[in-house]
Amino acid sequence: MAKQEDQFKKVLSHAKEYGYVFQSSEIYDGLSAVYDYAQNGVELKKNIRDYWWKAMVQMHENIVGIDASILMHPTTWKASGHVDAFNDPLIDNKDSKKRYRADVLVEDYCLKIEGKIDKEVKKAAKRFGDDFNKEEFLATNGRVLGYQEKIDTILSRLGKSLENEDLADVKLLIEELEIADPLTGSKNWTDVKQFNLMFGTKLGASADTAMDLYLRPETAQGIFVNFLNVQKTGRMKIPFGIAQTGKAFRNEIVARQFIFRMREFEQMEMQFFVKPGTQKEWYDQWKETRLKWHLSLEMGADNYRFHDHEKLAHYADAAADIEFKFPFGFKELEGIHSRTDFDLKAHEEFSGKKLQYFDHEENKNYVPYVVETSIGLDRMFLAVFSNSLQDEELENGTTRTVLKLPAVLAPIKAAILPLVKKDGLPEIARKIVEDLKWDFNVSYDEKDAVGRRYRRQDANGTPFCITVDHDTIENNTVTIRHRDTMEQKRVAISELSAIIKQEVDVRSWLMKM
Ligand code: ATP
């Protein structure tokens, strides 16, 4: 646990030191759970967004994008159920006065049991060496099965209690498991209450005529209310999808995990409209497709797993999360939900307008079913960033900090370094920058010894360093150094563009899907 916390602290300080993420309004001591993306962060975030958009919109003939407003007619949120039911169960500790999400306390308790399973696996792997079969061990070891059964029983009871709004039982569960305030160890809890996460605001100048609005808590509703507009103007045929990226706002009860849980964050969502009865097929297909997208970034297949929901939201007939192994354990990164016809039907009812599709093959109207994929851009950023940050022992006994970002996502693709600040080398380096910048985000760096510059670029996540030296003047060649292997090669300046393209090109990465 301590190791995990240390790693997480490193992620936070590295994100700040290298210009990725800053606390919002830091000079005023910040605003809780609100963050700003800095000069490198904004590029990484944009590259992740583009990677998603290319895979979802550009590569699918039957998926189009929109950009709906953050402010929507307030009835939208009545129809969607958010005004009445977008709640999280909160619990206060009477001694520490700290507030928690009751369900998260229980889930974190289960994560600790999972940690014990991991320990058993590690011990056994050591004992059995090459003969170790993890799947078989998990399925047969008595101690592991006992732990797993405990987790399943707890989560199933939590799911049922939340579904039945039995908050007294959620408190009882916390007491029975003897869960203590993680910060102080106190077990003196209040009752569990529901808390609505919507941020309210007002439209209009005068107090008596102003209209109460909400900042959207998800981007999906902007797609549902535009469903027919897009279908008709785009002449879309079912099955088809509408994708969108944009800000969402939630007044989260507890937001202590950096950009994992923020009050203002960005979602990348796609709602896929299908014929009623075919939703299960599409749900399975989108689960598979989305996992492939994640795996294409080569951040380790072991770092992902599906979590099928026990407790289904009021609108869903199936739901699963893709969980990622963050520095604080496996947590939700993306949700895939089969939302039935709940949203479109609710908007029909509240607006009095028909939101139906005329199926020419079937010769009838129906309200389509929806399968959605919903991923938090900031969570994806944290997944990529934390997984890439590594301390590496080198052969000469020293260590280096390297940010092994997938090259396709790296903010800066290459740094151009003149070996010395004289003899015409800076001028050549500048010329290379001028040429490469048409195609790639590149930077120029002449300060400090070249070894230190390499380390700086490693820690910054730059996949290539290009060094201009005295031989360059003679024969128009430079050295190109690879961040991950630290291998250096002598190449002609004219080859640089092709070499970089090969590693950072979206096509070659997405082709792995
Ligand atoms: P959680 O259970 O962690 O609160 P959720 O199930 O409420 O998440 P969804 O409503 O399914 O989340 O939202 C889809 C995605 O949006 C999530 O998978 C997550 O990546 C992202 N997300 C949700 N809430 C936040 C937040 N407060 N900060 C950052 N990202 C978020």
Side-chain angles (χ1 to χ4, degrees):
M1 216 54 180
K3 214 172 142 204
Q4 282 188 355
E5 274 166 30
D6 285 352
Q7 174 61 12
F8 194 40
K9 275 192 195 141
K10 262 190 211 153
V11 167
L12 262 75
S13 60
H14 199 89
K16 181 171 178 197
E17 193 183 338
Y18 284 87
Y20 277 84
V21 183
F22 299 148
Q23 199 175 17
S24 155
S25 8
E26 198 188 56
I27 58 167
Y28 295 105
D29 296 331
L31 184 64
S32 160
V34 186
Y35 290 91
D36 296 341
Y37 287 88
Q39 66 277 14
N40 280 318
V42 71
E43 297 288 342
L44 173 56
K45 194 175 171 197
K46 176 180 168 295
N47 292 343
I48 297 173
R49 196 191 291 110
D50 288 350
Y51 194 67
W52 182 88
W53 190 268
K54 283 229 161 92
M56 298 298 280
V57 181
Q58 193 170 324
M59 299 307 293
H60 286 101
E61 234 174 86
N62 60 347
I63 299 182
V64 291
I66 64 163
D67 183 13
S69 299
I70 287 170
L71 299 177
M72 298 182 70
H73 192 284
T75 309
T76 310
W77 307 110
K78 268 297 225 190
S80 67
H82 282 81
V83 173
D84 296 325
F86 194 51
N87 301 322
D88 273 343
L90 71 81
I91 190 165
D92 289 309
N93 187 280
K94 289 187 201 161
D95 296 326
S96 70
K97 309 275 181 273
K98 292 277 177 212
R99 178 158 282 187
Y100 294 94
R101 243 173 83 175
D103 55 336
V104 172
L105 281 180
V106 176
E107 281 164 11
D108 284 350
Y109 179 89
C110 291
L111 267 184
K112 281 193 191 139
I113 310 179
E114 236 168 57
K116 291 183 184 169
I117 297 181
D118 278 352
K119 255 193 198 149
E120 294 293 333
V121 170
K122 274 197 193 122
K123 264 200 307 197
K126 222 175 180 179
R127 196 157 12 112
F128 294 114
D130 287 346
D131 294 335
F132 182 58
N133 179 331
K134 187 173 165 189
E135 270 72 52
E136 195 185 315
F137 180 76
L138 288 175
T140 53
N141 180 274
R143 203 172 286 170
V144 167
L145 289 175
Y147 287 141
Q148 193 57 52
E149 195 186 329
K150 192 166 177 197
I151 294 175
D152 294 345
T153 313
I154 294 170
L155 291 182
S156 143
R157 176 163 157 201
L158 175 70
K160 281 203 187 96
S161 309
L162 289 174
E163 204 169 293
N164 302 331
E165 291 273 325
D166 186 354
L167 299 182
D169 190 58
V170 178
K171 181 177 182 192
L172 203 62
L173 183 61
I174 289 174
E175 285 173 341
E176 281 174 23
L177 297 173
E178 299 190 7
I179 295 176
D181 179 335
L183 293 175
T184 64
S186 159
K187 293 176 193 158
N188 193 5
W189 296 109
T190 62
D191 287 342
V192 178
K193 282 183 288 197
Q194 290 290 20
F195 175 78
N196 192 285
L197 304 181
M198 302 270 279
F199 270 110
T201 186
K202 287 199 183 293
L203 177 94
S206 75
D208 31 318
T209 57
M211 191 179 190
D212 284 317
L213 294 188
Y214 295 102
L215 302 183
R216 66 180 178 198
E218 62 175 26
T219 52
Q221 299 304 324
I223 287 179
F224 291 127
V225 299
N226 278 303
F227 155 73
L228 212 55
N229 282 341
V230 173
Q231 189 272 317
K232 289 227 147 72
T233 56
R235 286 176 290 127
M236 308 301 288
K237 281 208 177 72
I238 272 183
F240 74 92
I242 306 178
Q244 160 164 241
T245 72
K247 286 276 171 102
F249 301 81
R250 295 181 188 179
N251 198 0
E252 296 280 0
I253 296 168
V254 188
R256 292 199 193 101
Q257 280 162 325
F258 192 37
I259 55 172
F260 179 82
R261 191 177 299 288
M262 301 203 283
R263 300 210 157 94
E264 172 181 342
F265 59 101
E266 194 165 334
Q267 287 186 315
M268 307 192 285
E269 295 201 300
M270 192 279 298
Q271 274 67 37
F272 201 69
F273 299 90
V274 305
K275 194 152 107 181
T278 62
Q279 70 271 22
K280 175 81 176 78
E281 247 166 80
W282 285 109
Y283 170 72
D284 290 340
Q285 188 162 323
W286 277 111
K287 268 175 78 174
E288 192 187 319
T289 306
R290 291 303 305 147
L291 184 64
K292 279 193 187 152
W293 180 83
H294 286 284
L295 295 178
S296 73
L297 288 169
E298 298 185 327
M299 298 205 296
D302 283 354
N303 286 328
Y304 301 87
R305 69 179 189 195
F306 278 114
H307 165 72
D308 294 312
H309 283 210
E310 293 263 343
K311 178 200 167 210
L312 291 174
H314 56 280
Y315 51 75
D317 70 1
D321 298 334
I322 296 179
E323 294 186 335
F324 183 77
K325 197 170 188 186
F326 287 97
F328 36 82
F330 271 103
K331 292 269 182 187
E332 171 177 346
L333 171 59
E334 168 157 9
I336 294 126
H337 311 125
S338 174
R339 285 180 87 127
T340 68
D341 55 1
F342 172 86
D343 302 88
L344 290 179
K345 276 217 167 121
H347 288 304
E348 276 199 326
E349 193 189 315
F350 277 77
S351 68
K353 312 257 162 48
K354 274 209 171 335
L355 292 175
Q356 301 192 355
Y357 172 78
F358 181 72
D359 191 323
H360 286 277
E361 277 166 25
E362 304 247 328
N363 201 26
K364 67 172 190 197
N365 278 310
Y366 55 76
V367 178
Y369 269 47
V370 173
V371 173
E372 82 174 355
T373 71
S374 174
I375 175 171
L377 175 49
D378 314 85
R379 272 194 201 175
M380 185 63 195
F381 184 111
L382 183 60
V384 170
F385 192 86
S386 60
N387 190 65
S388 303
L389 185 60
Q390 294 171 22
D391 279 327
E392 217 174 56
E393 302 246 344
L394 302 181
E395 275 172 14
N396 64 8
T398 60
T399 56
R400 68 161 182 162
T401 299
V402 52
L403 190 62
K404 290 189 169 174
L405 299 170
V408 64
L409 303 181
I412 294 169
K413 306 303 186 198
I416 326 300
L417 324 170
L419 188 64
V420 289
K421 272 192 266 184
K422 53 183 185 185
D423 305 335
L425 303 189
E427 288 73 13
I428 302 176
R430 288 269 181 215
K431 253 181 89 185
I432 296 175
V433 168
E434 286 304 310
D435 180 45
L436 291 178
K437 79 179 183 192
W438 286 92
D439 297 315
F440 313 105
N441 213 356
V442 293
S443 73
Y444 173 85
D445 188 3
E446 61 174 22
K447 196 169 172 295
D448 300 321
V450 78
R452 283 188 68 180
R453 280 181 269 168
Y454 285 157
R455 289 287 176 275
R456 191 154 61 224
Q457 295 300 335
D458 287 346
N460 208 39
T462 311
F464 293 108
C465 282
I466 294 159
T467 307
V468 175
D469 57 22
H470 292 92
D471 286 350
T472 311
I473 305 171
E474 307 296 319
N475 58 15
N476 277 327
T477 65
V478 288
T479 59
I480 183 160
R481 174 185 178 274
H482 203 283
R483 176 195 66 196
D484 298 347
T485 58
M486 294 189 290
E487 202 180 59
Q488 300 190 27
K489 265 196 200 146
R490 191 105 213 151
V491 301
I493 292 175
S494 57
E495 288 177 277
L496 285 173
S497 187
I499 294 173
I500 299 170
K501 182 163 189 263
Q502 205 182 4
E503 294 250 347
V504 307
D505 195 25
V506 177
R507 172 196 283 245
S508 54
W509 286 80
L510 277 182
M511 291 270 271
K512 289 181 231 146
M513 268 183 79

